[in-house]
Amino acid sequence: NNVIIIPILKNKKFVLVYQKRIPINKKNYEFPMGWIEKGEEPTKSAVRELLEETGYQSLIMPKKLLILYPDPGRLSRNIVCYYTDRMIKVGKPEKGIKIIYYNKKKIIELIKKNKFNNAAHISAFYHYLLKKKQFFNL
């Protein structure tokens, strides 16, 4: 099972990771994501992945958005999606990852251009916008 965490800064910018994805042979924009380690609580996994991939430490326990099943016809794997809007920069991103700061409008443009194209991340992003009532004023 996996976690996705959507990090949002006070200036309403989202912290994205930009990295090469071998299976699709291109660089991709995404939110931090990773595996839930055996015996680890999903919220702890989300905090850990945020720190490892971006160098940001969440100052609060992330808030749960949803649990989704990316391929329920073939796999039982789920993804627990969170967000945090209180964090500080304490380190550097993981090797091979570039950190990008974009607002909601820019992420929507990236989705339309197939550059932010991971279905689970798109689902989590729009679910966040619905939760925050930002979906209808796109």
Side-chain angles (χ1 to χ4, degrees), residues 23-44:
I24 61 172
N25 195 32
K26 63 182 182 177
K27 290 190 175 186
N28 213 36
Y29 294 92
E30 298 173 341
F31 295 115
M33 177 182 185
W35 294 99
I36 300 171
E37 301 293 336
K38 187 174 183 176
E40 187 177 39
E41 291 294 317
T43 50
K44 301 275 187 190

Side-chain angles (χ1 to χ4, degrees), residues 5-94:
I5 183 161
I6 300 175
I8 307 105
L9 298 172
K10 287 181 181 169
N11 64 0
K12 306 280 190 219
K13 294 220 173 164
F14 294 83
V15 180
L16 303 178
V17 295
Y18 184 66
Q19 61 188 326
K20 174 100 181 212
R21 290 301 192 188
I22 304 294
I24 61 172
N25 195 32
K26 63 182 182 177
K27 290 190 175 186
N28 213 36
Y29 294 92
E30 298 173 341
F31 295 115
M33 177 182 185
W35 294 99
I36 300 171
E37 301 293 336
K38 187 174 183 176
E40 187 177 39
E41 291 294 317
T43 50
K44 301 275 187 190
S45 301
V47 169
R48 178 179 49 76
E49 289 295 337
L50 175 66
L51 181 60
E52 287 175 4
E53 292 190 9
T54 68
Y56 278 95
Q57 177 70 55
S58 183
L59 298 173
I60 58 172
M61 285 308 286
K63 296 173 183 84
K64 187 191 248 180
L65 283 169
L66 76 156
I67 297 175
L68 55 87
Y69 294 85
D71 194 4
R74 297 188 297 146
L75 302 171
S76 63
R77 178 177 72 106
N78 69 31
I79 302 174
V80 187
C81 305
Y82 295 93
Y83 73 94
T84 184
D85 55 9
R86 293 195 46 221
M87 56 195 165
I88 58 169
K89 184 85 165 148
V90 297
K92 293 183 178 183
E94 208 170 81

